[in-house]
Amino acid sequence: MHPNPIYHDADFARNLGFARERGFGVLAVNGADGPLISHVPFLINAEGTVAELHLVRSNPIARALKEPLAARIAIVGGDSYISPDWYGVPDQVPTWNYVAVHLTGTLALRPQEELQDLLDRQSAAYEERLLPKPPWKTAKMSDGVMEKMMRMIVPCQMTVTGMDGTWKLSQNKPDAVRLAAADQVRSSGFGTETDILSALMRGAGNGEVQGDK
């Protein structure tokens, strides 16, 4: 997360909405030999206080959860290199624009009997985005297959105690300078989701990122 507070002006609702919309992030906990990291899909409740996910039993994080652990989920969005030439003004330096939201809290295992419900709710949430395709449901699995697969994974829940977002969109630059860079981000295609990032940069000067104050 960038330390400059100007990039942390997005309100709670915007950060939560971003995390829920992405639904996928990098889970990290401290391990005996260094950080343990896993890429996970997750659900987060309306209040932003609980994130639910599942892990393969053999995952080092699952093995480490003999007791609850401090954890973080990093969710990232579009990103792009910003060339100093794009600003159209002198004495600038290269940088990288991006959007990221971090959830911090405590991760714990949940009872195995909660797994089926979690998987059903996860698949329902993701399948809804594919409408009008008929949603896939676990009931479509052959008898015994789902039960066998569920024995290999465990349900987990993260109690979220903190949420912070970095929306680094050149909002520290004059409007004309920021807009010039936004145009170049869109046309360069250097990064990920550059069209979305460019649109966010264009809106960064009129309060669309900061939210209601």
Side-chain angles (χ1 to χ4, degrees):
M1 304 296 277
H2 198 286
N4 191 333
I6 194 174
Y7 302 131
H8 295 258
D9 281 351
D11 60 21
F12 177 82
R14 189 173 180 86
N15 287 327
L16 175 58
F18 174 81
R20 178 177 289 113
E21 175 68 20
R22 302 297 288 192
F24 187 80
V26 179
L27 170 68
V29 303
N30 288 328
D33 300 318
L36 302 176
I37 293 175
S38 186
H39 297 78
V40 297
F42 64 89
L43 297 177
I44 187 166
N45 66 354
E47 297 76 21
T49 57
V50 175
E52 299 175 279
L53 56 106
H54 63 273
L55 295 170
V56 177
R57 282 187 184 275
S58 59
N59 187 301
I61 295 179
R63 291 178 174 177
L65 283 175
K66 296 178 176 63
E67 59 184 23
L69 295 173
R72 185 181 301 263
I73 299 177
I75 307 110
V76 298
D79 69 275
S80 179
Y81 171 75
I82 307 296
S83 171
D85 293 331
W86 293 351
Y87 292 126
V89 293
D91 299 325
Q92 302 296 307
V93 295
T95 191
W96 208 284
N97 279 0
Y98 63 94
V99 177
V101 170
H102 287 190
L103 311 178
T104 55
T106 302
L107 183 70
L109 291 174
R110 295 297 299 169
Q112 193 68 14
E113 54 265 29
E114 295 182 6
L115 179 59
Q116 178 76 63
D117 177 65
L118 171 59
L119 296 177
D120 286 343
R121 287 186 290 112
Q122 281 192 295
S123 61
Y126 307 142
E127 287 287 323
E128 185 178 11
R129 302 189 188 191
L130 302 181
L131 294 174
K133 183 190 87 67
W136 178 92
K137 298 182 180 180
T138 56
K140 293 184 176 182
M141 302 286 286
S142 301
D143 289 344
V145 175
M146 190 68 186
E147 291 76 10
K148 180 180 179 180
M149 296 182 70
M150 285 197 301
R151 288 196 290 269
M152 296 185 287
I153 58 180
V154 294
C156 301
Q157 180 174 292
M158 178 176 168
T159 300
V160 180
T161 56
M163 183 181 304
D164 190 17
T166 293
W167 299 70
K168 187 171 179 293
L169 304 168
S170 298
Q171 60 263 55
N172 60 326
K173 305 293 185 184
D175 286 352
V177 173
R178 185 188 72 260
L179 295 175
D183 289 342
Q184 294 296 329
V185 164
R186 184 179 62 248
S187 62
S188 75
F190 181 9
T192 61
E193 298 183 354
T194 51
D195 284 349
I196 296 174
L197 186 70
S198 174
L200 288 171
M201 289 174 63
R202 297 190 68 83
N206 58 20
E208 292 184 13
V209 172
Q210 287 79 2
D212 294 332
K213 290 292 186 179

